[in-house]
Amino acid sequence: MTGTGRETTRGAARERGSARWEARDGARRVTEGSPGGIVLEIAGLCVDYGDGPDAVHAVVDVDLAVHRGEVIGVAGESGSGKSTLAYAATRLLRPPGIITGGDAWFYPEAGEASSRLNLLDASAETLREIRWAELAIVFQSAMHALNPVLSVEVQLTDTLAAHRPEMSAAARRERAGELLEMVGINPDRLSSFPHELSGGMRQRVMIAMALALEPQVVIMDEPTTALDVVTQREILEQVIELRDRYGFSVIFITHDLSLLLELADTIAIMYAGRLVEVGPAKRLFRSPRHPYTLGLLSSFPPLHGEVRALSGIPGSPPDLRRVPSGCPFHPRCRFSLPRCGEERPQLVAVSADGERRVACLLHDGRQSPPAELGNPDAGSVPVAPMAAWGPDGPDRSLPPLDDTALSRPEEGVTPHA
Amino acid sequence: MSYLGRRVGFYLVTIWAAITINFLIPRLMPGNPVQLLIARLQGQGTLSTRAIHALSVAFGLETHQSLVAQYWHYWVQLFHGNLGLSVTYYPSTVVNVIATALPWTLALVGISTVIAFVIGTGIGILAAWRRGSWLEAALPISTFFTAIPYFWLGLVAVAVFGVVLGWFPLSGGLGQGMAVAFNGTFISSALYHAALPAVTIVVTSMAGWMIGMRNMMVTTLGEDYVLVAQAKGLSERRVMMTYAARNAILPSIASFALSLSFVVSGAILVEIVFSYPGIGYVLFQAVQNEDYPLMEAIFLIITLAVLVANFVADLAYVFLDPRTRQEA
Amino acid sequence: MTTTVNDLSPRSELVGELEEPSPVARSARRRLSPKIVVGLAILGFFVLMAIVGPYVAPYNPSALGAHPLAGPSSAHPLGTTQTGQDVLSQLLVGARSSMVVGFVAGAIATALSIIVGISAGYLGGFAEEGLSMLSNIFLVIPALPLLIVLTAFLPRANAIVIAVVIAATGWAWGARVLRAQTLALRRQDYVEAARSVGERAWRIILFEILPNEAAIVASSFLFTVLFAILTDASLAFLGLGNITAWSWGSMLYWAENNEALTVGAFWWFVPPGLCIALLGTGLALANFGIDEFINPRLRAAGLSRRGLQIASRSHGLTPVMRRPTGSGGPSGTGSIRLAEDAPGVAAPLSFDEVSGASPKSQWAPAGGSRAPEGGGR
């Protein structure tokens, strides 16, 4: 590619970007329906740590699409690349992280490919405009994510000041107060400093901050890991309630698959920097297709229903500098075939509707998959993402603890539907 | 107790400790040299009998008094502002000598320390922000400046800019025969004389602030809240100053005590090299003339000045870090 | 033994992925930082000079010569003093005294700071309050004026006495840092475990705590040596140290007293000061390297200097450096070149930090389903 060509496209992208952000208004959301088109599409994303010969390939060729209003859960062990994926897509990954390939398309108008914008090619200014206005992040530890020496008010209003310069200081302050109220905190707390708030309140402040500009996508990086179980639950309920009210999409990163079981519409499982299985949450739980997913599902006790034997996964995650050949999971896989050590499986559709994808040679049709990985799947029944949440009702909050109707992984054992 | 309350308490204890050290040194050292001094002065007849008596009381030669009684007496004298007579500047009192010299030092050391802190911290911020740039590459070289003896750099500066080039005066704080008066001639002459010593202090102390700030800034840039600020789409300037530098500067201010102690020690020597009419030069005179009362008083006054400066740093810290404002 | 995914520590993910990808960091740790290497080399040079200096000195440093205040010549490479003494010989002989003071003071002060710092951190309670108050007082009282008063009262001091006095005022910084580190280590599980099985305190301190503080101890030692050498020179310069023996400080004292400055005898006062500054630079560099060792964030592991430059040219904007088309795909380790390294060349790889191009066509996936997911919903 020649230099001039790039210049031109760059300029065009910037123009397109800024025009869009200036022209938009808040009314858009109300008119849109629930499961919408794509808002964020990650395609072939590759991320390295380091730029020398020792570079570690932390994310390899990941494809993932986020739909409007969808909660997509990304799960995996430590070092599986799930956080790296999310940070790289927003280009917030820190040195020595480097994006070495792929695209991250953002669709300002969900589903409209004509207006999409590649975040990986966007200029600093365009990205700065999109960030938080359209893509906000809630961090794992609000204790670390809030600046300890700035008041809550300053941290809420500076976002508004950066993105809505037309707002007066008084209006910004008022809006900051509203945001606190929205997450159930008294606006008096605006003048508080992070250390004066409890852990749960800090995380609520983070959520309020994330929603300050009504973004389309909120990335939540283990947002409740540092909290106790009760607070964790309250926060998750609030997130879901706000999602229903404002219709943003959530990319929920966690190592805790049991959380996703209650929360996510779609689940993506990562292993050694690769996506190994993607599918609608409920179907993935009932009938895991990848041996690793199966292992994850049987390594924690179900929150509801009967007690099962926990088996876990033997071995430990691979060293990213020495990823096993072929399928990276094969040394730990109890179903592994001789060729698993040689052929690298690709993520391919395994259900009739194409919604379920798995990267596993067991499903390549050359043999029938083991019984544990071959449970019937409700593949022919189209499942809208939000339907996974249960009955469509005014209240879409988390189900109460004793509700056993939802999300029982063991339901998959006895064929269902 | 509030943070500031605790700090004030600490400073009071430190002052007490400094005074007590001052009291104990002549009394605990083997072979009190003051005795020799007094014998010599008696022979010369330069000091009055009263002055010699005062000296022996102050330095524990009145052996008929118990140590406790001496200690009490010492405090009483101190509270009356009576630090004795200077041997060097006889018959001036120590207090008078210090009062004349102190403003020179406060102006020279105070202003150059502030300049060094501001420039050093500023460069440190930039070096951390632009990693891999020439500024950062220059960082190891700057360690050279932290290791230069202040007084030696002063000597070189005098040799080059004073002797060889003749741009600046070789010594003193004012032109020949000038008196302290607040008019243009005085101020320009004072600035002219202070320039070389001030640059020496700034050059040698700047690198320390710079390296400290750069390292803290790099560490702070790894904090989540900086990443959040970037994710929020704030301007680069705001992220750098309000989120990273504002937090990174806190340890610099907290460790002000240590750094200031270094700067003050260095500045004393710079004054000596330039024969600058401040406390350091007076201290040198006192050492040359075995003027123990003056030496001890200067130690006290420098300690006091450093404590006051630290208290100012504490106030700044409380202003900058809300966490110190909560009642513990 | 089976591993489950639920027992992960809360922040391990973030630390592991964002700050320090452990494999890279580990390999960086195996290599010694150039700062440490250069610093230690300078230090080694001066240690050698201190050891052999007196034997290789061409003249007796105190011997009066026939050529006073002569500039550098083949007979006197660094010229002569007011009384015709050989400056080079003084420099070589004086190295030993300066180094001895530095290292003895450093050793004593470090020992003191270990004792005070670790006891304060480990014992806790009243002892901690008292000891940390003590170190804070010593930290705040300006050292040089106190040393001047102390040495003025001492009968003519030799190098060791000076070293002891300097150590007495120079231990506080190390003690403070060690106290903080000990406090942190004491809460570590392995120390708690040792305590709970009734391990003796001295054993815990010696085998569990101290080894983990080695880097801090080393750093505080180097720092104190630097402080001691500078202070020793300052005291000698004031005429308070042992000015009758040759040291770099006493050389400067005699140079200053004999107006070396005003007569322009730079060969007399420049070398000793330069030696002090160079030795100090070595110490400070090694210390800098140790800091990077202790604090991984200072290292920027895994990035070349060029990569680091690009990464920090625009903060909060991960660089995009697409791999060349068809060089083995994402898992290949094909070398990454930055377009800017070869300006004007139509580089096969574009560094798209701010570019708006969409080199989709260039980008070669290793394969796999590239259809936008869920398009059929």
Side-chain angles (χ1 to χ4, degrees):
Chain A
M1 164 173 296
T2 63
T4 35
R6 200 165 16 151
E7 285 296 321
T8 324
T9 348
R10 182 199 296 171
R14 188 183 300 146
E15 240 165 62
R16 195 170 55 199
S18 40
R20 184 147 312 285
W21 310 129
E22 281 152 21
R24 269 241 325 283
D25 62 344
R28 173 197 55 178
R29 308 208 141 64
V30 189
T31 56
E32 286 179 18
S34 30
I38 297 180
V39 283
L40 184 67
E41 184 192 357
I42 296 165
L45 189 69
C46 297
V47 180
D48 282 5
Y49 280 118
D51 58 352
D54 307 336
V56 165
H57 307 299
V59 168
V60 179
D61 195 18
V62 166
D63 296 332
L64 194 64
V66 182
H67 295 81
R68 208 177 137 54
E70 179 185 36
V71 176
I72 182 157
V74 182
E77 289 162 293
S78 264
S80 60
K82 53 192 192 294
S83 294
T84 306
L85 172 69
Y87 289 104
T90 47
R91 292 187 67 189
L92 279 168
L93 195 64
R94 288 196 153 130
I98 291 168
I99 299 164
T100 52
D103 302 287
W105 298 103
F106 173 66
Y107 293 71
E109 284 152 56
E112 289 222 15
S114 57
S115 62
R116 69 181 190 173
L117 183 81
N118 194 345
L119 297 178
L120 303 192
D121 297 328
S123 69
E125 300 94 288
T126 310
L127 261 177
R128 202 171 289 140
E129 284 169 47
I130 296 177
R131 280 184 180 167
W132 223 257
E134 301 298 343
L135 296 161
I137 300 188
V138 175
F139 282 75
Q140 177 183 113
S141 162
M143 183 70 206
H144 297 99
L146 291 170
N147 188 332
V149 305
L150 297 181
S151 69
V152 169
E153 181 182 346
V154 171
Q155 299 191 56
L156 282 172
T157 51
D158 66 357
T159 319
L160 298 169
H163 292 277
R164 309 252 166 95
E166 74 283 357
M167 265 175 116
S168 70
R172 289 200 293 264
R173 194 186 148 79
E174 197 183 325
R175 171 77 177 138
E178 282 170 24
L179 286 166
L180 282 193
E181 261 178 305
M182 182 180 81
V183 293
I185 297 177
N186 191 321
D188 294 354
R189 289 295 200 158
L190 274 181
S191 54
S192 297
F193 288 93
H195 69 273
E196 296 165 338
L197 305 174
S198 70
M201 273 165 108
R202 281 195 286 261
Q203 199 55 277
R204 282 170 206 271
V205 169
M206 263 321 282
I207 292 169
M209 198 188 286
L211 301 181
L213 301 167
E214 304 185 347
Q216 301 219 35
V217 181
V218 179
I219 295 170
M220 299 199 164
D221 184 14
E222 310 232 12
T224 59
T225 309
L227 303 172
D228 64 82
V229 196
V230 176
T231 319
Q232 186 172 348
R233 213 170 172 80
E234 285 169 6
I235 301 257
L236 290 182
E237 279 175 20
Q238 191 149 49
V239 167
I240 291 313
E241 192 192 310
L242 291 167
R243 194 275 311 249
D244 292 345
R245 193 168 351 142
Y246 296 102
F248 51 86
S249 317
V250 178
I251 300 177
F252 198 98
I253 297 158
T254 183
H255 61 261
D256 189 350
L257 201 52
S258 61
L259 263 186
L260 294 185
L261 196 146
E262 310 200 21
L263 190 71
D265 303 314
T266 306
I267 289 180
I269 309 279
M270 287 193 75
Y271 187 80
R274 291 146 177 93
L275 272 186
V276 293
E277 182 162 7
V278 182
K282 213 169 175 180
R283 289 161 64 187
L284 186 136
F285 278 118
R286 281 189 194 143
S287 50
R289 289 289 180 257
H290 197 282
Y292 180 61
T293 314
L294 179 70
L296 285 181
L297 285 172
S298 37
S299 59
F300 62 88
L303 284 176
H304 322 293
E306 62 197 73
V307 180
R308 275 179 315 151
L310 297 182
S311 55
I313 307 168
S316 49
D319 180 341
L320 285 179
R321 283 172 309 169
R322 278 182 287 277
V323 176
S325 60
C327 169
F329 186 64
H330 86 266
R332 299 171 75 188
C333 180
R334 59 184 163 120
F335 307 108
S336 79
L337 308 166
R339 61 199 170 92
C340 285
E342 292 143 28
E343 281 176 55
R344 181 146 289 183
Q346 305 300 335
L347 192 69
V348 289
V350 290
S351 68
D353 59 356
E355 296 220 350
R356 302 209 52 178
R357 292 183 297 150
V358 69
C360 179
L361 297 179
L362 293 167
H363 296 279
D364 67 357
R366 286 164 66 177
Q367 66 283 303
S368 54
E372 292 96 322
L373 302 175
N375 284 323
D377 170 48
S380 52
V381 186
V383 183
M386 298 249 242
W389 273 99
D392 266 340
D395 178 16
R396 284 237 200 90
S397 61
L398 277 182
L401 273 170
D402 58 352
D403 185 345
T404 54
L406 272 163
S407 50
R408 259 196 221 170
E410 73 279 19
E411 279 178 353
V413 178
T414 48
H416 198 76
Chain B
M1 216 191 336
S2 74
Y3 176 80
L4 273 186
R6 280 202 310 274
R7 295 302 291 168
V8 169
F10 166 71
Y11 292 135
L12 291 177
V13 173
T14 308
I15 292 171
W16 166 81
I19 291 171
T20 306
I21 289 171
N22 230 354
F23 168 81
L24 287 176
I25 287 174
R27 287 165 177 80
L28 294 183
M29 285 293 168
N32 193 332
V34 180
Q35 207 146 20
L36 294 171
L37 171 73
I38 288 174
R40 204 183 75 213
L41 294 173
Q42 269 169 336
Q44 292 172 347
T46 31
L47 290 192
S48 71
T49 336
R50 246 185 89 239
I52 288 176
H53 176 71
L55 260 181
S56 37
V57 171
F59 290 91
L61 297 172
E62 296 287 284
T63 38
H64 63 268
Q65 273 192 318
S66 73
L67 205 62
V68 178
Q70 289 182 35
Y71 191 49
W72 171 251
H73 192 69
Y74 188 82
W75 273 98
V76 171
Q77 291 292 315
L78 212 60
F79 268 102
H80 286 93
N82 186 359
L83 296 170
L85 292 176
S86 161
V87 177
T88 322
Y89 299 87
Y90 187 79
S92 282
T93 63
V94 165
V95 174
N96 278 339
V97 173
I98 290 178
T100 322
L102 194 59
W104 291 98
T105 299
L106 288 181
L108 175 69
V109 180
I111 293 172
S112 26
T113 305
V114 169
I115 293 175
F117 181 80
V118 170
I119 300 180
T121 305
I123 298 178
I125 293 173
L126 287 179
W129 194 254
R130 294 270 172 258
R131 293 195 77 178
S133 67
W134 63 270
L135 259 182
E136 196 175 49
L139 220 55
I141 298 164
S142 73
T143 56
F144 179 73
F145 287 94
T146 64
I148 291 182
Y150 282 48
F151 63 91
W152 178 73
L153 191 70
L155 289 174
V156 174
V158 171
V160 175
F161 298 101
V163 179
V164 178
L165 297 172
W167 292 352
F168 289 97
L170 300 185
S171 64
L174 275 182
Q176 282 279 303
M178 281 186 75
V180 176
F182 286 91
N183 55 38
T185 349
F186 165 76
I187 291 171
S188 63
S189 171
L191 285 178
Y192 182 51
H193 281 77
L196 217 45
V199 168
T200 308
I201 296 174
V202 169
V203 166
T204 38
S205 57
M206 199 176 80
W209 298 116
M210 186 180 115
I211 293 172
M213 185 64 189
R214 179 264 176 188
N215 284 359
M216 255 336 281
M217 183 83 177
V218 168
T219 309
T220 308
L221 284 174
E223 293 290 340
D224 283 357
Y225 53 77
V226 175
L227 192 61
V228 172
Q230 284 160 347
K232 277 158 85 172
L234 303 183
S235 67
E236 217 175 307
R237 196 188 154 72
R238 180 151 177 103
V239 176
M240 178 169 92
M241 298 312 290
T242 314
Y243 281 81
R246 192 183 185 291
N247 291 61
I249 205 170
L250 291 175
S252 263
I253 295 174
S255 68
F256 198 70
L258 175 84
S259 319
L260 196 64
S261 166
F262 266 108
V263 173
V264 165
S265 301
I268 289 172
L269 294 155
V270 169
E271 286 190 354
I272 295 167
V273 169
F274 289 91
S275 306
Y276 198 77
I279 288 284
Y281 187 63
V282 172
L283 180 61
F284 182 58
Q285 297 297 324
V287 168
Q288 301 259 300
N289 295 296
E290 297 174 319
D291 189 346
Y292 297 100
L294 192 54
M295 259 186 259
E296 291 221 312
I298 288 175
F299 165 63
L300 279 189
I301 203 76
I302 292 178
T303 306
L304 206 64
V306 167
L307 292 186
V308 169
N310 269 306
F311 184 66
V312 174
D314 282 342
L315 288 177
Y317 196 91
V318 169
F319 175 75
L320 286 172
D321 190 344
R323 286 168 295 187
T324 56
R325 293 201 285 269
Q326 70 180 345
E327 298 295 310
Chain C
M1 180 69 204
T2 59
T3 23
T4 65
V5 283
N6 281 354
D7 58 353
L8 306 165
S9 64
R11 270 177 68 76
S12 64
E13 177 83 11
L14 206 65
V15 171
E17 294 200 4
L18 289 180
E19 286 171 4
E20 190 186 348
S22 46
V24 179
R26 245 181 276 127
S27 73
R29 200 166 293 163
R30 259 185 260 117
R31 292 193 297 268
L32 267 180
S33 129
K35 295 195 185 81
I36 293 189
V37 173
V38 172
L40 291 181
I42 295 176
L43 195 59
F45 171 77
F46 283 107
V47 168
L48 193 71
M49 183 166 164
I51 294 170
V52 304
Y55 306 113
V56 299
Y59 300 89
N60 177 348
S62 306
L64 309 183
H67 308 285
L69 278 183
S73 63
S74 55
H76 299 281
L78 291 179
T80 60
T81 70
Q82 180 96 345
T83 51
Q85 295 161 334
D86 181 49
V87 174
L88 177 65
S89 301
Q90 293 184 354
L91 200 68
L92 287 166
V93 172
R96 184 175 285 182
S97 165
S98 294
M99 297 288 282
V100 163
V101 172
F103 279 85
V104 170
I108 298 175
T110 306
L112 271 174
S113 66
I114 290 175
I115 293 168
V116 174
I118 294 189
S119 345
Y122 191 80
L123 296 173
F126 196 70
E128 185 197 339
E129 290 290 323
L131 289 173
S132 72
M133 173 80 105
L134 189 70
S135 25
N136 282 335
I137 288 176
F138 271 93
L139 210 54
V140 127
I141 292 180
L144 192 68
L146 177 59
L147 279 168
I148 289 174
V149 174
L150 267 172
T151 42
F153 277 96
L154 277 175
R156 277 286 161 240
N158 62 26
I160 299 297
V161 174
I162 296 282
V164 170
V165 177
I166 291 175
T169 58
W171 55 272
W173 175 249
R176 191 160 99 162
V177 180
L178 282 173
R179 174 186 149 262
Q181 182 67 11
T182 308
L183 269 177
L185 285 172
R186 197 176 56 159
R187 294 193 206 101
Q188 295 282 313
D189 289 344
Y190 63 91
V191 176
E192 294 283 2
R195 277 153 77 98
S196 65
V197 298
E199 191 76 83
R200 293 219 191 104
W202 67 268
R203 277 193 68 94
I204 298 179
I205 290 176
L206 223 52
F207 296 110
E208 311 285 357
I209 292 182
L210 209 47
N212 286 298
E213 290 175 343
I216 297 178
V217 171
S219 148
S220 114
F221 174 73
L222 294 181
F223 179 78
T224 322
V225 172
L226 173 58
F227 165 77
I229 287 174
L230 285 174
T231 309
D232 174 51
S234 306
L235 288 174
F237 179 69
L238 287 172
L240 280 170
N242 187 7
I243 48 167
T244 50
W246 290 114
S247 73
W248 295 334
S250 65
M251 284 178 74
L252 286 167
Y253 172 81
W254 293 115
E256 162 79 355
N257 268 276
N258 291 303
E259 313 255 300
L261 204 60
T262 29
V263 301
F266 61 89
W267 60 85
W268 190 359
F269 68 86
V270 167
L274 206 57
C275 279
I276 294 172
L278 280 176
L279 172 57
T281 307
L283 291 163
L285 272 181
N287 222 341
F288 206 137
I290 294 175
D291 274 352
E292 289 184 349
F293 177 82
I294 298 173
N295 183 352
R297 283 185 192 171
L298 296 179
R299 274 202 303 265
L303 277 192
S304 60
R305 185 163 165 238
R306 182 101 186 107
L308 198 60
Q309 242 171 36
I310 286 157
S312 62
R313 189 176 308 148
S314 197
H315 273 268
L317 204 63
T318 314
V320 178
M321 298 192 247
R322 290 176 211 274
R323 279 209 186 76
T325 314
S327 80
S331 53
T333 46
S335 69
I336 296 172
R337 268 198 314 125
L338 304 180
E340 289 161 52
D341 282 340
V345 178
L349 165 77
S350 58
F351 170 63
D352 290 310
E353 186 200 357
V354 286
S355 93
S358 161
K360 181 105 185 167
S361 53
Q362 287 193 345
W363 177 81
S369 146
R370 300 270 300 129
E373 179 195 0
R377 282 184 202 202

